[in-house]
Amino acid sequence: SQEAAGTPPARKLDASEEIQRILHTEAAEEVLGLTGDQTSDEAVSQAWKRLVLLLHPDKLQRLGETVREAGAEALHRVHAAKDELRKRSQEACAEVPDDLAPAGEPRCLDSTQAKRKYEISWVLPESQDPARPVEAFEVWGPRYFSEFGDPYDWVLLATLPALQSSFVLVEEAPTQQDVMWAADRILRPTLPINVHATNGRGQSTALTFELPWATDFPWLQGTPSVLCSQCFRMSACRGPWTQCKCCMANVPGEARVVVRCPDCQGEVLWAHNSNVLRCTCCLRVFGKDMGQQWRPGTKPMHHGPNPHAHPPRAGPHHSGAQWHSGRGGGAAGGHRRQHWQ
């Protein structure tokens, strides 16, 4: 016993008094009731356990509602004090955790639009290295990509306990949705997700999972556009050369353009096997290719003069095709060019 060992027994704590003491204390050591020379891992653990048992909600049921609410806040501060002291100890003595290894390839659990889910998993260490303890795992994803596909502005998606070895990325979660849509906007082939093992000293080197992306979801696929330099009409790119359906000019593949949705900045493509031009990210429809059709309010298209037609008669009141002389305005020395109106 403590008396036989010459150590005085620990004073029995009063819950109400301890709650008030903790709420009026700032330093982590003081929250746990420790002095400057009692900050070893064992002393911290014992003090923490003693207060957790004292402030457990079941132990406070007989007290008033106000005291129970204050007890919940005091218990939160006790946990935070333990984490702070453990972090300090690891910063001084520990090393960052060892690098992680994947437990397998990423698995798509649901490919439904707006409900996509991906699972990633990693191997847990068989035993905890005291010199390189693992306190938690952090999962990070990029919120933006450059036009060249480089990720940046990484955000924390989740902090997981040290015994958890997997994470499911779900589109319904707002921050995770931002990461998914960032890959959608540039039609990136893969979505990178980083996992770190962490402790008070820092993070391990990132374990990067490349989630198959643009090629796995049909609505992210489509045909890019080319822009005709003659009539400035966009058409679906059909290869090295594309015939414009408006002016019938041959448009080279180098005239390809990237069109962005004004709402979500997703890329606008022609849907496969369809004449619909739509955003691959938010699926907003921007139009349809109606082909070479006459539209009300426009003039029929002309492809040049009819060689079998009679020449138009000149005259001040003639409103058909007009003949203009060539350079200089006279009939002599100049060629003629025809302007169809």
Side-chain angles (χ1 to χ4, degrees):
S1 67
Q2 289 180 326
E3 294 181 354
T7 303
R11 179 178 61 89
K12 186 175 181 179
L13 301 179
D14 179 84
S16 299
E17 293 180 0
E18 285 299 300
I19 290 172
Q20 292 303 315
R21 181 189 66 79
I22 292 170
L23 295 181
H24 290 82
T25 301
E26 296 294 334
E29 296 87 349
E30 295 178 358
V31 168
L32 296 181
L34 300 173
T35 59
D37 58 348
Q38 293 179 320
T39 56
S40 66
D41 291 344
E42 183 179 356
V44 170
S45 179
Q46 290 180 355
W48 170 77
K49 290 179 180 178
R50 189 180 183 195
L51 289 174
V52 166
L53 291 174
L54 179 69
L55 302 178
H56 192 278
D58 292 343
K59 299 289 185 67
L60 304 181
Q61 287 298 324
R62 58 182 177 81
L63 303 178
E65 181 178 356
T66 303
V67 177
R68 292 199 301 270
E69 292 178 355
E73 174 62 23
L75 183 59
H76 172 73
R77 295 192 182 190
V78 167
H79 291 312
K82 178 194 175 186
D83 292 341
E84 174 64 23
L85 292 176
R86 184 171 52 190
K87 180 179 179 181
R88 290 184 200 172
S89 174
Q90 292 175 357
E91 287 177 348
C93 305
E95 298 293 334
V96 297
D98 290 324
D99 296 343
L100 297 173
E105 296 294 327
R107 294 194 308 128
C108 182
L109 304 180
D110 192 342
S111 60
T112 306
Q113 186 183 359
K115 298 180 180 180
R116 291 173 290 184
K117 295 180 182 179
Y118 256 106
E119 182 185 42
I120 57 176
S121 57
W122 51 93
V123 178
L124 292 177
E126 295 182 0
S127 60
Q128 187 78 282
D129 184 354
R132 296 176 179 271
V134 176
E135 294 295 328
F137 296 105
E138 293 181 350
V139 183
W140 294 75
R143 193 154 47 184
Y144 299 102
F145 293 93
S146 70
E147 288 292 335
F148 302 102
D150 299 321
Y152 64 95
D153 194 10
W154 291 76
V155 292
L156 180 63
L157 302 179
T159 300
L160 309 174
L163 295 179
Q164 186 166 337
S165 61
S166 63
F167 174 72
V168 177
L169 188 74
V170 294
E171 193 167 7
E172 290 90 343
T175 305
Q176 298 173 37
Q177 182 186 85
D178 290 344
V179 171
M180 290 182 169
W181 286 12
D184 289 349
R185 280 192 289 270
I186 67 164
L187 304 179
R188 200 175 192 275
T190 60
L191 171 60
I193 298 295
N194 286 348
V195 181
H196 300 267
T198 66
N199 60 24
R201 190 64 180 267
Q203 296 178 330
S204 66
T205 303
L207 169 62
T208 302
F209 293 91
E210 293 287 352
L211 280 56
W213 209 252
T215 57
D216 277 32
F217 305 116
W219 64 89
L220 295 180
Q221 303 170 29
T223 304
S225 299
V226 291
L227 182 65
C228 177
S229 60
Q230 302 297 320
C231 65
F232 299 103
R233 173 170 174 160
M234 287 196 310
S235 303
C237 181
R238 300 304 180 188
W241 294 93
T242 300
Q243 188 176 52
C244 176
K245 294 182 180 180
C246 181
C247 67
M248 308 306 290
N250 286 327
V251 184
E254 290 77 8
R256 176 177 169 177
V257 292
V258 176
V259 183
R260 293 286 178 194
C261 173
D263 295 336
C264 68
Q265 298 303 307
E267 187 166 349
V268 178
L269 298 176
W270 299 92
H272 281 325
N273 301 321
S274 171
N275 61 347
V276 176
L277 185 66
R278 57 161 178 76
C279 174
T280 54
C281 188
C282 67
L283 302 185
R284 173 183 171 183
V285 175
F286 287 88
K288 295 182 178 180
D289 187 355
M290 305 303 294
Q292 190 177 8
Q293 296 185 1
W294 178 82
R295 295 181 296 276
T298 63
K299 297 180 181 180
M301 294 180 293
H302 296 277
H303 300 288
N306 185 349
H308 303 290
H310 294 290
R313 292 178 299 173
H317 302 292
H318 179 65
S319 60
Q322 299 179 1
W323 290 81
H324 298 274
S325 63
R327 187 174 304 176
H335 65 277
R336 291 183 176 181
R337 54 184 180 181
Q338 189 176 17
H339 294 267
W340 289 85
Q341 298 181 349

